[in-house]
Amino acid sequence: MLTEPITYLQRCLQIPSTNPLDGEENVATYIYELLTSHGIKTDWIEVSPKRICLVATIEAGAAAVHPKTIGFSGHLDTVPVKISEWTKDPFGGAIEDGRIYGRGASDMKSGVMAMVSTMIELNQRDDLPNRLKLLITSDEENGMTGARHLTARGDADDLDALLITEPTSGFLGYSQKGVVGVEISCVGKSAHSSSPQLGKNAIDDLYRVIREIKSDRFTMTDQRHPDLGPVVASITSITGGEGPNVIPSRAAFYMDIRTIPGFGREQVLQALEEVNQRLRQQDDTFSMKVTVIKDIPSCETERDDPFLQIVADTMEFIRQQPTKRVAIPGGTDGAMFSPAARNFPIAVASFHDFRLAHQIDESIPLSEYAETIELCMRLALHSYS
Ligand SMILES: [Zn+2]
């Protein structure tokens, strides 16, 4: 049974889809043709000309008693490749000693093709207990614009549960941090540096913001998540100044804030507004502007949610060892699907080894691919009531 899924995965690895923008639409075309040639209803959804999402659906059998809509999701894009560093062809899909090699082998073309293979296998049956909906996204590694677009269209509104087969090495991800990225800028007035009193130095004002944020007076929040830990904030870039002899009229820094459930964009903006107020009390000519550049919410499914329990039990059955629930430190498309109209549980899980994700000579054992296909099959065929 595994021969065809391996061929599908090899072919998928042979089509580059590194982000930013290098061929995602070609992988989308391959998967679209694969699904439709097997008679599966598939929508081609253009986010932009080179950002394509696919939504494929298989209806439950006529005799299904309590059919649920089970969602599967994965992304088409991969991180870039520095070919000179690889000892294997990153777009070869070679198999050696039971491992398959290529950019995306771990993150996450194997996850996507495990779900595609499950859909192809199950479409041949007319007794499915559930409706299956496959949401394939673009641009997960950069801005998650694909999942955001599908959610805005309402494609996730009918889901009862969602499995995202990111590489998790057999762990079950139930929560993840969010990201709020802000630019904080100060505007001054330029003047010749020989007469600074004629201008207003934006770098001086920005320095006061940084000093305040780094002082003991400031904490973004004391809230902590039991598994995700605290909110962390880092200043990651800084710009400003027009020239060596000009009083700078503008300066800005970028701050990356990793958020947790209960503390997101709104709370970040409130904490920064308090900084603004404090500095204005000291100097009423002071002003700073906060612009939100990035906003990916955190998301969380209850640890004891029944769907998560079924996923955990199924993984335990396949691996014959207990399934550990984990918080995911990075983001996944789950964050973008979670604001959908209906609140549904999201499990981030597969057997694919995450240790080689984004790495040189990315690869996974094919045995993990077989285990992930079995996980998808069993979750699709489970009777949820
Ligand atoms: Zn991924």
Side-chain angles (χ1 to χ4, degrees):
M1 177 201 144
L2 205 57
T3 315
E4 286 178 334
I6 290 172
T7 308
Y8 301 153
L9 175 55
Q10 265 185 313
R11 183 74 196 99
C12 187
L13 289 169
Q14 287 162 356
I15 308 170
S17 59
T18 56
N19 197 353
L21 291 177
D22 185 19
E24 264 181 306
E25 73 278 20
N26 299 327
V27 184
T29 301
Y30 169 65
I31 295 175
Y32 179 82
E33 287 173 357
L34 188 59
L35 288 166
T36 52
S37 69
H38 284 85
I40 297 171
K41 179 182 167 293
T42 307
D43 294 331
W44 174 273
I45 297 156
E46 200 176 285
V47 182
S48 62
K50 284 176 161 292
R51 297 274 192 219
I52 307 300
C53 295
L54 301 175
V55 176
T57 314
I58 304 178
E59 297 302 329
V65 185
H66 296 294
K68 300 282 185 191
T69 297
I70 303 302
F72 291 140
S73 185
H75 58 87
L76 294 170
D77 57 323
T78 69
V79 292
V81 173
K82 216 173 173 186
I83 291 180
S84 60
E85 293 177 339
W86 282 55
T87 67
K88 315 278 186 208
D89 179 354
F91 307 112
I95 296 172
E96 286 174 31
D97 297 329
R99 297 185 76 90
I100 188 160
Y101 289 83
R103 176 55 88 220
S106 164
D107 187 6
M108 61 167 292
K109 288 183 169 175
S110 47
V112 168
M113 297 321 284
M115 299 183 294
V116 168
S117 300
T118 301
M119 297 285 278
I120 290 171
E121 175 73 17
L122 293 181
N123 192 49
Q124 297 165 20
R125 299 172 53 151
D126 56 11
D127 61 344
L128 279 187
N130 301 296
R131 181 170 176 260
L132 304 179
K133 192 166 185 182
L134 173 61
L135 304 125
I136 296 183
T137 67
S138 55
D139 190 33
E140 191 271 349
E141 298 287 3
N142 192 20
M144 299 185 182
T145 50
R148 192 192 294 262
H149 186 79
L150 292 183
T151 305
R153 276 170 39 101
D155 288 301
D157 287 350
D158 55 355
L159 299 182
D160 290 299
L162 179 64
L163 173 74
I164 301 177
T165 51
E166 288 275 7
T168 63
S169 298
F171 295 124
L172 169 55
Y174 77 99
S175 67
Q176 62 187 62
K177 279 192 167 175
V179 188
V180 177
V182 293
E183 186 196 69
I184 297 181
S185 57
C186 291
V187 175
K189 182 171 176 289
S190 59
H192 196 285
S193 56
S194 61
S195 308
Q197 73 281 5
L198 299 177
K200 180 167 169 52
N201 191 321
I203 289 179
D204 285 352
D205 278 356
L206 197 75
Y207 169 67
R208 294 169 63 197
V209 181
I210 294 173
R211 198 176 51 181
E212 187 66 24
I213 285 175
K214 294 290 174 189
S215 76
D216 294 341
R217 290 183 295 279
F218 178 76
T219 43
M220 190 67 86
T221 174
D222 293 330
Q223 287 181 43
R224 271 186 82 87
H225 184 276
D227 289 325
L228 291 168
V231 171
V232 288
S234 310
I235 294 172
T236 52
S237 73
I238 187 162
T239 55
E242 289 96 286
N245 56 354
V246 182
I247 297 300
S249 66
R250 189 178 183 281
F253 66 81
Y254 184 89
M255 187 155 63
D256 175 285
I257 303 127
R258 300 290 157 148
T259 59
I260 57 176
F263 191 93
R265 172 195 175 116
E266 199 182 313
Q267 290 77 12
V268 166
L269 292 178
Q270 195 179 331
L272 293 173
E273 178 53 26
E274 285 166 20
V275 170
N276 184 31
Q277 294 299 335
R278 267 203 298 277
L279 293 172
R280 279 185 71 82
Q281 276 168 15
Q282 295 163 18
D283 172 2
D284 61 9
T285 68
F286 172 85
S287 77
M288 66 182 236
K289 185 176 170 206
V290 180
T291 309
V292 177
I293 307 287
K294 196 170 196 177
D295 181 19
I296 298 171
S298 58
C299 81
E300 179 167 46
T301 296
E302 294 293 324
R303 279 179 74 103
D304 57 357
D305 174 87
F307 177 69
L308 278 200
Q309 191 57 49
I310 290 162
V311 177
D313 290 347
T314 308
M315 294 177 88
E316 183 168 342
F317 175 83
I318 295 167
R319 271 260 164 114
Q320 293 296 302
Q321 62 186 44
T323 306
K324 193 171 172 216
R325 286 169 171 75
V326 295
I328 304 214
T332 76
D333 276 337
M336 289 304 172
F337 287 126
S338 61
R342 194 191 296 183
N343 190 19
F344 50 83
I346 299 174
V348 181
S350 74
F351 292 99
H352 303 141
D353 191 343
F354 62 66
R355 287 173 301 178
L356 283 175
H358 300 197
Q359 304 283 326
I360 296 163
D361 289 344
E362 184 173 346
S363 65
I364 56 154
L366 283 169
S367 57
E368 294 174 357
Y369 183 51
E371 288 174 312
T372 302
I373 293 173
E374 186 177 353
L375 173 66
C376 295
M377 292 284 284
R378 287 185 178 277
L379 291 177
L381 293 171
H382 190 90
S383 284
Y384 304 88
S385 54

